[in-house]
Amino acid sequence: MTRTYQTYRDIYFTSRDGLRLYGRHYPAMFRDGTERRPLLCLAGLTRNGRDFHVLAEDIARRADAPRDVYTFDYRGRGFSESDPEWQNYTVPLEMLDVLDFMTVTGLSQPAIIGTSRGGLIAMVMAAAQPRSVGPVVLNDIGPVIEQKGLGRISAYVGRIPLPGSWKEAGALVHDMGRRAFPGISAEEWVEVAKQWFNEHKGRPAPGYDAALSNALSVLDGPIPKLWPQFEALKRVPVLVLRGETSDILSAATVEEMGRRHPAFSSFVVRGQGHAPLLRDAETIDVVARFLVATEASERQPRLAYG
C-alpha cells in the first residue's frame, strides 16, 4: 500500500476577533546554506490557498533555489472559519488577518504573489505598512479593475450550485471556464475543482461562505482606482502576470503601471483569462526567475520575459 507524502504542514491560528484561520507551509526541500526570501501566496475573492499548490510545490523543490512557501485562506474561504458578520469580508480586515498570519509564522518582508483580491491586499499592505512586503507578483490585477469582469464575478459569487461528485464538479468548472481557459483538459478541470471546493466525506463541499455575495452587492458602480496604493509598491520590484484574455486587467493598465513603477516587469500568460491558474511550467518558471533575480535587494532593474 502506497502512502501519500504530504508536502506541507497545516497552520491554524486564532484571529484578533476570535475566528479560526488556516494556512500552509511548504518547506524548502533542502537547505544549501543560502537564506532565501520566503514566498507568501494570497488568493482571489472566493478562492483559497489550494490555488497555489502546484506552484508552491515547484518553488519549494527547485533544485537551484528552493525556498519556503506559505499559503493562506482568508476568513470564510477554504479551511478558515466563516465570519458571522459578512460586513467583515473586506480588504482592510483581511489584510490584518494576513499580517497576523505573518506574525504567527515569523515572516518578515516576504515576497508576495497575489491573485486578484490577493494583489489588492498586497497593495494596501504596502500603503499601510511599507516595510511589511518584499518583491510582489500581481496575478491579473492592477489599480484599475475593468467593470465588465467585475460584473461577471458578481453574477456567480454565492450562486454556484454544489456538485454531487468530483466528476460533476470538474464539468461545472469546465463549463464556467472553458472560454477563458480553452487549453485546460477535462482531467485538469477536476483538479481545479478540488481547489475551488472543499471536501466532505469524499464529495465536494462549499469552498467559501456564500455571504461573500453580500459584500459584493454593496458595491455601486466602478471600484475606485487604486493608483496611490499601487505606487506604494515603488520601493520593491513588481512583476505583473496578465491573462491574455483577461476581463479584469487591461493591457492599457499594465502599460501605465510600467510607466509609473521604476522596477516593473510583466508577462502575458497565453491562452488564459482571469485569473491565470499558475499551474503551467512556463508561468511558474517566470515567477521563480523573478524571485531569484530580486533576492539580493528591494529594488532591481526591469526584467525581460519573452
Side-chain angles (χ1 to χ4, degrees), residues 145-193:
I145 299 175
E146 298 301 311
Q147 193 64 29
K148 178 182 177 182
L150 183 62
R152 176 183 56 79
I153 293 171
S154 299
Y156 74 72
V157 173
R159 298 177 177 87
I160 299 176
L162 185 63
S165 68
W166 286 114
K167 183 177 180 180
E168 289 181 15
L172 173 65
V173 297
H174 175 223
D175 187 59
M176 293 179 62
R178 60 186 175 185
R179 290 185 180 179
F181 303 93
I184 305 300
S185 68
E187 293 76 15
E188 190 167 9
W189 278 119
V190 174
E191 295 303 312
V192 173

Side-chain angles (χ1 to χ4, degrees), residues 263-276:
F264 179 87
S265 307
S266 64
F267 177 76
V268 175
V269 182
R270 303 294 178 188
Q272 296 194 29
H274 181 79

Side-chain angles (χ1 to χ4, degrees), residues 11-32:
I11 302 170
Y12 286 95
F13 73 101
T14 302
S15 70
R16 59 187 69 195
D17 55 353
L19 297 180
R20 191 169 189 246
L21 304 182
Y22 173 81
R24 287 179 179 178
H25 173 210
Y26 294 77
M29 176 179 272
F30 60 89
R31 307 289 177 180
D32 58 3

